[in-house]
Amino acid sequence: MLACLAAAAALLSPGRAGAAAPPRAAVQLELRRAPGTERCPGEGLLREELARQLGYDPVDPTAALLARALLFRGPGREMHATMEIHDADGAVTWSRHLVAYNDDCRELVMNMALSLRVALDPSLRVQPALDTGLRAQPPPAPEPPIEAAAEPPARPAGPQIRAGLALTSVFGLLQDTGPGTAVHVALRYPSFSLGLEGHVQWPATINVDRGDVSTWLAAASVVPCSQVRHLFACAFVSIGAATTTAEGVAVDESSALWLATGPRVGVGVPFGNRLVVQAYGDIVLRLSELRVESPTAVLWESPAVGGIVGIRLDIGFTAASAAPARRAHLDRGPWAPR
């Protein structure tokens, strides 16, 4: 009887060992949000989603492993995340770089949790071979090292060059409201730009004493701007010439100095990383005289204040090649996904 019980216990012991729960991972978690990502979900959502996917909460302030993550904003609507796992000695054993192209922080944090789950799942560790008494097989050939971003992609070394073409409408400055054209080029920094703009206002015509008097305007402007997301505010100073011609009436046909200044506000809608459609409005404060005169009287004089509205197609070009992100060759450790 004792021999039977001993045999039964011996048969049941391997089954119980095989049914033991797999070891659980433990890790410290650190999530930082760079400027521009303050509204993104924080460490709480990442930890909650990671615990849901693993089936337990792996975060332990005393764990030997440390998982570090960084959220930061890229060009256009891109959101980036870099993640690293450090061992007890501080060495990086795993790294990932994720990008969301739809400005969706929550989706990016969910993907971060999935990547960390794959890295931390103990079932993915390589288990040592059992000693069966058979001759050991030769070890497999080492896998090539994987590349992982050691830091966020570098920003361009210099400002971005922007160029654009606009259709405008001027009111209150010439004899009549009419269309115009403007071209511009600017150096664009993350929150500031400095541009040069050329503006041609097509001839505005009025009828005087059965004759036509037309005035057209050509000016160049310096336009510094400040931008927050898709909104921008600018100031401009314009200098140019207003030319008057007449047909069928005696007026002083000449070119007069045009000098003006004022504020500009607008909004831009991006289409991809390079193309932006902008709508803007100017309040124009005239600093020089502009009038149409006959030999005997002043026939028309420009108001002191007017306005310009415009729709502009703006295209970006990279002024200097962006330095590629430094990449480190990382050997596959026991925590690396296979």
Side-chain angles (χ1 to χ4, degrees), residues 19-25 56 121-123:
R24 294 187 173 189
Y56 62 90
D121 193 338
S123 66

Side-chain angles (χ1 to χ4, degrees), residues 11-34:
L11 291 174
L12 290 175
S13 295
R16 289 177 181 175
R24 294 187 173 189
V27 65
Q28 301 179 52
L29 184 61
E30 178 183 302
L31 174 62
R32 294 186 295 119
R33 291 174 290 185

